[in-house]
Amino acid sequence: MEIIVDILILFVVVQSVLRLSLWPAGWMRWLFYAIVGVAVWIVTGIAAGLSKLQVEGWLHTTAVLQDVAVVCLLDALLCRLRWYPGLLFLPVAFYVLCQLLFTMTGTDFHTLGLILGITIAMVFPLLAKALIWLLPIRADRAMFHLAVTIIICLACLVLASHSTLHISYSAFHTPHSTFYIPQIIMDYISKLLFGIANILLIPDILLLIIFFIRSLILLVTTYMQYVARRGGGGSSIYAKYSNMLIGHEPDEAYADYLCAQMEAEAAKDVNLSRLLTKLGPVLGLIGTLISMSPALVGLSTGDISGMAYNMQVVFSATVVGLVISVVGLFTQQLKSRWYQQDISRLEYAASQYMKGKKVYEKEA
């Protein structure tokens, strides 16, 4: 796990330089790294009081690694904000300070912390400036920043699944395991995928709740449109474009333009129903499959209460996804038929309007 942590630290440093190179004001970069340098010098006493065994113990504690992974994921997501500097550089600087103190024994700790703080305050703004010189186009730096952020997220997923990725290396010495190394690789990959799937469960459930609320709102608005059409009127889109047609002088090109615009706007309104129709079952199936795995594990271990809870999640995700799909399909069929009628009415009104223009031109 030390290798993964070192890789994560390296990419956090690169991400920090890329992130601050996107800032338009150079003095803000100098200010941020100066604050980090001062913070490193202040916490030198705390770092000196730690032992190497304590730091290594943190790197082998699953709970600590999972907390670090959650913080890294949140920080990587927040880095998409414009003026967010990224706070992962602070613990990385502290970790580097601890490693320097362990390596350079016999050196004055406060002097070493001061040297590291000055180095951070002076070198990293220059690195950001050099990066701007190498990549003058801001879009290129933003693309590299996004790629490094994705790599950090993947490394955090590995850290989050550290408890399920423990491998007994004594098994390498098993004499009758000819294909054991490929089995270890496949076991590592399968458990990594299992950890990623568990992480995706919460976003999937949240999306199901959001789309379910949106489907209820869509059902209410569709009923209001139905009541309006029962009163003899058309949709609000038809009323808008018919008024635009009447308020303009007769023009065949303009009439065709209005019909095309109304058709595009109607398709945009129907797209929400079409989206719910397709995404509802997909999200429900994802929630079902993710929750089914711990339910089967509970069944194998005899944990009936845990199995019952996971089966509730399984059935709930399936039912909610299907309800979303039903609402989307129902509203899609109704709105498609209504808008097709409105488009035909607008085309007929445009043709009649153009006939009036031709009669007027003949009389003139």
Side-chain angles (χ1 to χ4, degrees):
M1 293 305 297
E2 289 85 352
I3 297 177
I4 298 177
V5 173
D6 292 338
I7 293 174
L8 181 61
I9 289 173
L10 176 62
F11 279 103
V12 166
V13 171
V14 175
Q15 184 200 40
S16 177
V17 176
L18 284 168
R19 177 64 186 169
L20 270 71
S21 68
L22 298 175
W23 287 5
W27 65 269
M28 297 184 68
R29 293 190 288 269
W30 288 95
L31 178 61
F32 173 75
Y33 286 115
I35 293 173
V36 175
V38 172
V40 168
W41 179 65
I42 292 174
V43 300
T44 303
I46 300 176
L50 298 176
S51 64
K52 191 172 184 179
L53 293 176
Q54 285 179 298
V55 178
E56 291 181 353
W58 291 343
L59 297 180
H60 289 85
T61 304
T62 303
V64 174
L65 290 177
Q66 289 177 347
D67 293 338
V68 170
V70 172
V71 173
C72 290
L73 286 173
L74 291 176
D75 191 86
L77 294 176
L78 290 175
C79 275
R80 302 306 301 164
L81 300 178
R82 181 175 177 83
W83 297 107
Y84 182 70
L87 300 181
L88 286 179
F89 193 77
L90 294 171
V92 165
F94 182 77
Y95 178 80
V96 173
L97 176 63
C98 292
Q99 296 300 324
L100 286 176
L101 294 178
F102 298 150
T103 303
M104 304 180 67
T105 56
T107 309
D108 183 65
F109 292 153
H110 291 284
T111 303
L112 189 61
L114 181 61
I115 293 174
L116 180 61
I118 294 174
T119 303
I120 292 173
M122 298 298 295
V123 173
F124 281 93
L126 295 177
L127 288 177
K129 192 172 183 180
L131 186 61
I132 295 174
W133 179 74
L134 291 174
L135 296 174
I137 301 176
R138 188 178 185 277
D140 294 339
R141 298 197 302 273
M143 181 186 65
F144 280 108
H145 175 264
L146 179 61
V148 173
T149 303
I150 293 173
I151 294 174
I152 291 175
C153 290
L154 293 177
C156 292
L157 290 175
V158 175
L159 287 176
S161 57
H162 177 252
S163 60
T164 61
L165 296 177
H166 178 70
I167 298 175
S168 176
Y169 291 98
S170 62
F172 279 107
H173 303 287
T174 305
H176 301 291
S177 57
T178 307
F179 301 100
Y180 192 75
I181 293 179
Q183 285 180 344
I184 290 176
I185 296 174
M186 290 304 300
D187 185 64
Y188 186 91
I189 294 174
S190 62
K191 290 181 179 179
L192 177 61
L193 290 176
F194 178 72
I196 295 174
N198 286 334
I199 293 173
L200 294 177
L201 178 61
I202 295 178
D204 180 78
I205 298 300
L206 291 177
L207 286 176
L208 276 175
I209 295 173
I210 292 172
F211 281 125
F212 178 74
I213 296 173
R214 190 64 184 88
S215 65
L216 294 181
I217 297 173
L218 178 63
L219 197 61
V220 173
T221 55
T222 304
Y223 176 75
M224 293 173 64
Q225 292 180 8
Y226 171 75
V227 172
R229 296 183 71 89
R230 290 277 297 191
S235 63
S236 59
I237 298 177
Y238 171 76
K240 180 177 75 172
Y241 283 99
S242 62
N243 291 332
M244 292 172 63
L245 178 65
I246 296 173
H248 194 274
E249 62 180 11
D251 187 355
E252 185 174 359
Y254 184 72
D256 293 339
Y257 169 75
L258 287 182
C259 291
Q261 286 295 108
M262 178 181 173
E263 188 173 357
E265 191 169 346
K268 182 180 178 181
D269 189 28
V270 176
N271 278 339
L272 176 61
S273 301
R274 188 178 294 112
L275 180 68
L276 294 178
T277 302
K278 295 180 179 180
L279 284 184
V282 172
L283 294 175
L285 180 61
I286 291 174
T288 299
L289 295 178
I290 295 175
S291 303
M292 185 69 73
S293 180
L296 294 177
V297 172
L299 178 63
S300 63
T301 57
D303 185 7
I304 304 301
S305 61
M307 175 187 171
Y309 172 76
N310 287 295
M311 290 305 294
Q312 285 181 348
V313 178
V314 167
F315 294 135
S316 300
T318 304
V319 171
V320 172
L322 290 178
V323 170
I324 293 172
S325 178
V326 168
V327 173
L329 181 61
F330 176 70
T331 55
Q332 178 187 350
Q333 296 297 325
L334 283 180
K335 288 190 172 185
S336 297
R337 188 174 72 247
W338 291 345
Y339 286 132
Q340 190 62 40
Q341 293 174 357
D342 291 340
I343 292 172
S344 300
R345 291 173 61 186
L346 185 65
E347 290 177 350
Y348 176 75
S351 64
Q352 294 299 316
Y353 206 46
M354 293 307 301
K355 285 182 180 179
K357 175 187 176 183
K358 293 178 180 178
V359 170
Y360 175 75
E361 290 175 350
K362 287 180 181 181
E363 291 177 354

